[in-house]
Amino acid sequence: MKTTQLIPLLCATLAAATTPAIASGVSGAKLFAANCAMCHSVSPDVKSLAGPGLFNVLGRRIGAVPGYGYSKALAGAGAGGQTWTRAELARFLADPAVYAPGSTMPVNVPAAAARKALVAYLATVKGEAVAATAPPPSTAAAAPGQPWSADQPGRIHELRAAQLPAPFATPSAGNSPQTVPRPAGVIPSVPAGFKVNLWATDPDRGRLLVKAPNGDLFMSSMPKRLIKVFRSSTGEQADTVSVFAAGLNRPFGFAFWPVGPNPRFLYVAYVNSIVRFPYKNGDLVAGAEPEVVVPSLVAAAGSHTTRTLAFSADSKTMFVSVGSASNIGEQMAARPAEPLAAWEAKHGVGGAWGDETDRGVVLSFDPDGGNRRTHATGLRNCVGMYRHPVTGDLFCSINERDLLGDDLPPDYLTRVPRGAFFGWPWYYIGANEDPRLKGLRPDLKEKVNAPDLLLTAHSAPLGMVVYEAGDGARSAFPPAYSGDMFLALHGSWNRSTRTGSKVVRVFMKDGKPVGSYQDFMTGFVVSEKEVWGRPSSVAVQNDGSLLVVDDVTGEIWRVSPDTPPP
């Protein structure tokens, strides 16, 4: 996923893959290339990507790369004069969330041999000197003409594939925002006729919020390795917050099964496996141990670690999204080891290989974990995955590739039919070839599915929900909203002018996006360099109100009409 609050070393080495790799003698350079290079450069100019460049990291003061938006904990450590030593890097790699409380990074490198190899490699990477101190963050007010400053409830966006800019029309930017406290008295902006109030504050800063059939709200926290349950007796605020399960292996996606009013299991996606907990409506604390359903999802480590779950409307198919291990498969060989036709017969049209095997895809299984198959390919990172409650169509919100310029390629929202191929890594937004992979797969050009809705490039779309309110819901939105979709945009790092950090309304007709979307909740951006919030998930309560999760502050906002419906 595109994260703009990365801490200084993003090495998303999966626990299930690290130990075998080290046992096979894989070097620290290889581990870095496979797991870190998508977000951290080792170029001599120490250029920041999603995370800061890593030349000269040993001996560097923590939080010292100019212009990068460090977390408060890391910035504070650097302000106190602390530097990166071998021991400090090893401590950080073991558990970033423990090392730097408040970090949004959920990944770690649990194997001591892997940590040692990575630190040894970083000790060899030398380049130009890094400035001793970073410049103070900007507090400038929004200037007219800056794209994010024009964001306001009601503003409509419409992008067309025929109007895409050329690759590299602008330089690639490393523009990670500094997160700052929410200014006193400031709350998100919503359209006229609506009001917003603080529904809950989650100190564990969970990211994905899903409503159970009985109306309870479940949320996963990868950094704290748990799933929580929020209950509200009135809808106005959360009355009860409890832990459903803890000590999990970085849980993200989860779904109730079977689909319908009386599920029997809660399925949970770990980084590299899927488990399920016995469940019945109203469970607040599950005492049972989870049952392993899918013991392994991918064979190789990689930087996208979130796995999202959904079930088909008939409960017979479990869908699992797996993001890519890199930006555009930089470590892939020109061809798989076996004939291409045989490879694609197993892994789908356009299925990548090497460290990208079964990545950038949606996989499907029977509910017992059997009958594994590839549902769709070419989806760089389907962080948000959702089954439409009426049509049954599977939707993905896609965080597209980076480093092609400010406005390329657009992120997107799309229905994902079985057997579809959406282009990654060779093509984007239809038959547009990535110039960095020119001529490698001409056979795929006419096989690329076009997405339903283009979003401003680098917006980083995450969670979504179709707006539905039951009869008599006391906080129901006006009828015009029924059937439209709300989508959380987490916000950009690879864009010179900021975008995202808001919730948008996607206009729909008969369950399909019509091609445009509208700003619905804005106001999280403070300046070109600063944001106080980044929406990650949305859900509709039984009373018809909309909940919006901000995973920077841990705040959950409630949106409802100014006046109740008649």
Side-chain angles (χ1 to χ4, degrees), residues 15-33:
T18 298
T19 301
I22 296 301
S24 302
V26 176
S27 69
K30 172 81 172 179
L31 288 168
F32 181 89

Side-chain angles (χ1 to χ4, degrees), residues 197-288:
N197 68 274
L198 187 61
W199 188 77
T201 299
D202 175 28
D204 298 318
R205 294 190 303 155
R207 172 170 282 190
L208 181 63
L209 187 71
V210 175
K211 185 174 70 173
N214 73 334
D216 290 342
L217 279 302
F218 280 61
M219 187 154 66
S220 59
S221 171
M222 292 185 80
K224 293 302 179 70
R225 280 71 162 170
L226 52 77
I227 293 177
K228 300 168 82 166
V229 185
F230 295 77
R231 278 183 164 177
S232 176
S233 58
T234 65
E236 296 285 340
Q237 290 182 317
D239 303 319
T240 304
V241 182
S242 59
V243 174
F244 178 81
L248 310 181
N249 184 12
R250 289 176 281 162
F252 183 74
F254 55 94
F256 298 89
W257 184 90
V259 174
N262 296 299
R264 302 198 306 273
F265 291 98
L266 178 66
Y267 282 67
V268 180
Y270 291 168
V271 171
N272 201 29
S273 63
I274 298 171
V275 301
R276 67 182 183 184
F277 292 86
Y279 172 80
K280 64 180 181 180
N281 284 332
D283 278 354
L284 289 180
V285 179

Side-chain angles (χ1 to χ4, degrees), residues 2 159-170 327-328 350 377-381 398-414 421-439 441-442 444-458:
K2 296 177 184 176
L159 283 72
R160 296 299 178 194
Q163 300 172 342
L164 295 182
F168 310 117
T170 61
N327 188 34
I328 53 167
T377 54
L379 299 155
R380 180 177 176 266
N381 193 21
I398 302 298
N399 285 210
E400 252 291 357
R401 70 205 74 190
D402 297 313
L403 310 180
L404 281 178
D406 274 0
D407 298 306
L408 203 69
D411 290 335
Y412 59 89
L413 174 73
T414 190
F421 168 61
F422 285 88
W424 184 88
W426 298 279
Y427 296 88
Y428 60 87
I429 314 302
N432 295 287
E433 188 174 34
D434 193 310
R436 298 164 293 186
L437 302 174
K438 187 174 179 60
R441 291 300 304 271
L444 293 175
K445 184 171 184 177
E446 304 305 322
K447 299 178 181 179
V448 184
N449 286 57
D452 289 324
L453 176 70
L454 303 186
L455 305 164
T456 301
H458 313 300

Side-chain angles (χ1 to χ4, degrees), residues 122-360:
L122 290 171
T124 70
V125 180
K126 304 296 181 182
E128 297 177 4
V130 180
T133 58
S138 167
T139 55
Q146 290 178 323
W148 60 267
S149 67
D151 286 349
Q152 58 181 330
R155 183 189 183 194
I156 293 178
H157 305 257
E158 186 171 341
L159 283 72
R160 296 299 178 194
Q163 300 172 342
L164 295 182
F168 310 117
T170 61
S172 183
N175 184 24
S176 297
Q178 172 73 48
T179 55
V180 297
R182 176 163 59 92
V186 170
I187 61 174
S189 299
V190 292
F194 291 89
K195 61 182 179 181
V196 60
N197 68 274
L198 187 61
W199 188 77
T201 299
D202 175 28
D204 298 318
R205 294 190 303 155
R207 172 170 282 190
L208 181 63
L209 187 71
V210 175
K211 185 174 70 173
N214 73 334
D216 290 342
L217 279 302
F218 280 61
M219 187 154 66
S220 59
S221 171
M222 292 185 80
K224 293 302 179 70
R225 280 71 162 170
L226 52 77
I227 293 177
K228 300 168 82 166
V229 185
F230 295 77
R231 278 183 164 177
S232 176
S233 58
T234 65
E236 296 285 340
Q237 290 182 317
D239 303 319
T240 304
V241 182
S242 59
V243 174
F244 178 81
L248 310 181
N249 184 12
R250 289 176 281 162
F252 183 74
F254 55 94
F256 298 89
W257 184 90
V259 174
N262 296 299
R264 302 198 306 273
F265 291 98
L266 178 66
Y267 282 67
V268 180
Y270 291 168
V271 171
N272 201 29
S273 63
I274 298 171
V275 301
R276 67 182 183 184
F277 292 86
Y279 172 80
K280 64 180 181 180
N281 284 332
D283 278 354
L284 289 180
V285 179
E289 290 295 316
E291 172 191 358
V292 176
V293 178
V294 179
S296 179
L297 288 169
V298 294
S303 291
H304 288 132
T305 59
T306 56
R307 311 287 177 250
T308 313
L309 289 180
F311 283 99
S312 59
D314 63 5
S315 302
K316 294 180 179 180
T317 303
M318 175 174 63
F319 300 103
V320 185
S321 67
V322 182
S324 70
S326 65
N327 188 34
I328 53 167
E330 292 87 348
Q331 302 301 312
M332 280 173 36
R335 287 288 186 272
E338 59 188 276
L340 190 57
W343 179 265
E344 291 192 336
K346 292 186 219 175
H347 299 279
V349 173
W353 49 83
D355 288 348
E356 298 289 357
T357 299
D358 291 337
R359 303 195 66 129

Side-chain angles (χ1 to χ4, degrees), residues 308-310 319-323 360-363 375-388 393-399 411-417 420 422 451-455 461-464 485 487 506 513:
T308 313
L309 289 180
F319 300 103
V320 185
S321 67
V322 182
V361 301
V362 172
L363 302 173
H375 178 78
T377 54
L379 299 155
R380 180 177 176 266
N381 193 21
C382 170
V383 188
M385 187 170 65
Y386 178 77
R387 176 184 50 80
H388 194 286
D393 288 338
L394 188 70
F395 276 77
C396 276
S397 62
I398 302 298
N399 285 210
D411 290 335
Y412 59 89
L413 174 73
T414 190
R415 295 166 297 165
V416 183
F422 285 88
D452 289 324
L453 176 70
L454 303 186
L455 305 164
L462 298 182
M464 72 195 84
M485 183 178 282
L487 176 65
V506 176

Side-chain angles (χ1 to χ4, degrees), residues 102-122:
S103 168
T104 60
M105 281 304 304
V107 300
N108 67 337
V109 182
R115 295 196 298 273
K116 183 176 180 180
L118 284 166
V119 172
Y121 168 68
L122 290 171

